[in-house]
Amino acid sequence: MNASSIKPFRVGAEWRHASDETQILTSINPADGSVAGRVTRATPADVDAAVAVAWEAFHHQPWRHLRPDQRATTLYEIGRRLTAERESLARLQMIDSGKPWKECLHMVDAAAGHFRYYAAVCETWQNEVTSPRGEYFSMALAEPFGVVACITPWNSPIMNEAQKVAPALAAGNAVLVKPSEETPQLALELARICGEAGLPEGLVTALPGLGEDVGAALVRHPGVRMVSFTGGTETGRAIGAIAGQRLIPVGLELGGKSPHIVFDDADIERAVAGVASGIFGSAGQSCVAGSRLFVQRSIYKRFMDQLVTFTRELRVGLPDDANVQMGPLVSQGHRDKVAGYVDLARAEGGTVLIGGDRPRDARLERGSFYLPTIIDGLTNQARACREEIFGPVLVALPFDDEADVIAQGNDTPFGLAAGMWTGDYARAWRVGRALEAGSIWINTYKQSHIATPFGGFKDSGIGREKGLHGLRLYSQVKSMYFGMHAQPMGL
Ligand code: NAD
């Protein structure tokens, strides 16, 4: 074992090194199957140690008691350091996750933006003072929980972590981050940068480990007082059940099967591009991917022809090629899962209009690539229409009118997002209000803003991240009353 190439992780002042091969997580570069990095794997015993160190930091370091503007200074510094290391972090992101270079840069920029935003929130946050109804005044304060666990998926490393760590720190908590075993490297870098920016030791610890042991140990640990999870709905359900038993709050950002609707009065050219980027961006590995397309029947054939032509032009290739629009899927195993859904759709009577295979290109042979795929001829009840595929697979269905598309759009267990293309804003308002989803996009898709809340309805989650809601997620409210009575209080 070449120990020097295996990254350790840090619990407080102590570096933890793998002592044998069983203690290593190997990250594979999805573009070519090479080793992207080897990381020491945390165990449940490390969770115990990390929780103890985090509690120590929470209770005995000044962080929670700092004035918000003082916390802001460190959060700004973390953002600045992320930006200073933009290129090297993006490079690590690219080999860990296989995302195209431009997207990797965006992930780092977004992560830095989260820290800057929550620094600004710290500077401007106001607690509530209630108008008195007697000889007292009362106020509601946001207090930290203590130690919070943040568990993240593989599809947007560093951005997913920053979206949790920045507000959790802003609220005064200590944070334990467990990244996905598929992409364990960026969280280690984020923890390092947090320390270098001046956060006290133990306030942010990254624990690269497996979900079923390290993730589960975090959720069950009595010292963890809040869990913030992003990942699949079934994992979220299991975490929510444990949190329910423990009576601790959870934030759950889960899966989706978002309807993307095109009305016959839409600007077709823009809608075609919007629908394609809504599903094929990030190779479909996006929780908000517009994976169920509904096109009004009167324009169905014309729209689908244009969409297939547009999709044929998409450039699938190696992530470090600046012209590439779609990179590989995160792993060979995940590609097999995606391909399995396409086979299932065929078996259920679907027609593959384009894609449905891996690219036939010798340069991509060793990577886990899959072509952008469009399927029609299924009903909304088919498994490919009901289950999250999390890959570049779009299922298309026609609809007749507003009532029909609202019924079909909402006929899903999920409720993360929805989009529509129409020239009629009154219709957009009606349909947008009727759709059961946490984010609705009109004549745009996958737009996001750090200050705009994000989260799901139904099986897509509980709670909201981003914006002021993001800070509230990591805070508990304490009400305080100050008596001003002129006379002693009697019974
Ligand atoms: P996943 O649920 O398999 O894993 C997510 C994380 O949970 C990983 O770190 C994993 O190790 C951990 N984990 C697994 N089992 C656990 C357990 N029993 N206890 C505690 N932790 C456990 O999800 P994934 O495959 O990594 O990511 C893809 C999923 O994430 C998709 O469903 C996608 O929609 C969802 N996602 C949602 C959002 C959102 O904001 N709503 C964003 C990105 C991804």
Side-chain angles (χ1 to χ4, degrees):
M1 193 173 81
N2 178 5
S4 64
S5 63
I6 300 157
K7 292 185 184 169
F9 63 92
R10 189 174 176 161
V11 176
E14 202 184 299
W15 287 100
R16 306 267 164 137
H17 294 271
S19 55
D20 61 55
E21 288 288 337
T22 63
Q23 287 190 334
I24 298 172
L25 283 180
T26 301
S27 167
I28 300 296
N29 181 343
D32 60 11
S34 64
V35 172
R38 305 207 314 150
V39 168
T40 303
R41 181 164 77 79
T43 64
D46 295 317
V47 170
D48 290 339
V51 173
V53 167
W55 265 115
E56 182 66 22
F58 178 72
H59 282 295
H60 298 123
Q61 296 286 346
W63 183 253
R64 63 183 291 209
H65 299 298
L66 290 182
R67 296 193 319 258
D69 61 303
Q70 292 171 318
R71 273 188 220 150
T73 307
T74 311
L75 297 178
Y76 276 127
E77 181 59 15
I78 297 171
R80 192 191 68 73
R81 285 173 181 261
L82 284 166
T83 301
E85 294 191 32
R86 181 175 189 253
E87 298 246 333
S88 59
L89 292 169
R91 204 157 297 286
L92 195 57
Q93 162 92 275
M94 190 169 65
I95 59 173
D96 230 17
S97 69
K99 285 179 180 296
W101 176 240
K102 246 197 314 196
E103 199 181 334
C104 295
L105 289 172
H106 168 70
M107 292 283 124
V108 182
D109 292 345
H114 279 80
F115 281 93
R116 286 197 305 271
Y117 174 78
Y118 283 105
V121 168
C122 277
E123 302 240 38
T124 53
W125 181 261
Q126 294 181 355
N127 287 303
E128 296 162 38
V129 176
T130 3
S131 313
R133 292 191 172 185
E135 291 178 288
Y136 61 85
F137 84 84
S138 55
M139 58 196 300
L141 302 171
E143 297 256 352
F145 286 105
V147 176
V148 308
C150 300
I151 303 177
T152 54
W154 46 259
N155 67 320
S156 302
I158 210 155
M159 192 183 83
N160 274 149
E161 282 88 35
Q163 195 163 311
K164 296 180 186 306
V165 175
L169 285 175
N173 297 285
V175 188
L176 302 173
V177 194
K178 198 211 81 65
S180 166
E181 42 274 60
E182 302 270 8
T183 51
Q185 304 200 79
L186 273 298
L188 290 177
E189 300 302 319
L190 181 61
R192 170 183 62 76
I193 288 170
C194 287
E196 289 170 359
L199 275 186
E201 217 162 64
L203 212 67
V204 175
T205 302
L207 293 166
L210 302 181
E212 62 267 24
D213 64 353
V214 169
L218 280 169
V219 178
R220 290 184 190 281
H221 201 291
V224 170
R225 294 290 164 81
M226 186 267 170
V227 174
S228 175
F229 170 79
T230 297
T233 291
E234 288 321 310
T235 318
R237 210 185 292 285
I239 288 172
I242 296 165
Q245 283 294 321
R246 293 193 51 216
L247 294 179
I248 58 166
V250 280
L252 299 175
E253 297 287 350
L254 309 178
K257 192 77 190 176
S258 301
H260 202 163
I261 300 165
V262 182
F263 285 101
D264 60 6
D265 60 356
D267 177 329
I268 299 294
E269 203 179 324
R270 283 169 193 264
V272 164
V275 166
S277 74
I279 179 67
F280 301 130
S282 308
Q285 302 168 118
S286 162
C287 53
V288 293
S291 50
R292 280 187 305 149
L293 171 64
F294 293 97
V295 182
Q296 199 148 19
R297 202 176 296 278
S298 52
I299 58 163
Y300 186 81
K301 171 89 179 62
R302 178 161 63 100
F303 185 87
M304 293 308 294
D305 287 347
Q306 287 192 36
L307 182 62
V308 167
T309 304
F310 187 95
T311 302
R312 192 166 290 121
E313 300 300 314
L314 290 177
R315 295 181 295 276
V316 179
L318 295 168
D320 58 359
D321 177 341
N323 292 317
V324 155
Q325 293 165 297
M326 221 182 87
L329 301 184
V330 75
S331 65
Q332 303 277 359
H334 187 54
R335 180 180 58 189
D336 292 346
K337 182 183 154 206
V338 169
Y341 268 109
V342 175
D343 292 342
L344 182 70
R346 285 188 175 104
E348 284 182 306
T351 304
V352 175
L353 302 180
I354 187 167
D357 200 357
R358 39 201 285 186
R360 299 293 157 194
D361 178 339
R363 288 167 309 160
L364 309 182
E365 263 318 292
R366 285 179 295 134
S368 43
F369 293 85
Y370 198 79
L371 287 170
T373 298
I374 303 175
I375 301 171
D376 83 347
L378 294 169
T379 70
N380 198 27
Q381 303 309 315
R383 277 185 59 194
C385 296
R386 300 201 76 75
E387 297 174 21
E388 186 184 42
I389 299 175
F390 218 57
V393 179
L394 179 68
V395 289
L397 301 107
F399 72 90
D400 293 316
D401 54 23
E402 279 180 32
D404 181 22
V405 81
I406 290 167
Q408 292 200 67
N410 286 341
D411 184 8
T412 169
F414 296 107
L416 194 56
M420 79 189 86
W421 297 82
T422 175
D424 179 347
Y425 270 75
R427 160 186 276 168
W429 173 254
R430 279 192 306 274
V431 176
R433 294 301 304 268
L435 288 169
E436 297 164 346
S439 294
I440 307 283
W441 288 294
I442 296 130
N443 294 334
T444 182
Y445 201 83
K446 267 192 176 180
Q447 204 77 55
S448 85
H449 189 307
I450 173 68
T452 306
F454 177 76
F457 282 24
K458 302 183 341 194
D459 283 5
S460 290
I462 296 174
R464 292 292 176 270
E465 292 194 323
K466 309 219 282 193
L468 298 183
H469 290 262
L471 191 79
R472 291 191 188 109
L473 187 64
Y474 298 96
S475 311
Q476 47 193 341
V477 176
K478 178 180 284 174
S479 298
M480 291 184 77
Y481 289 78
F482 290 82
M484 303 289 173
H485 311 93
Q487 303 294 330
M489 287 177 77
L491 283 177

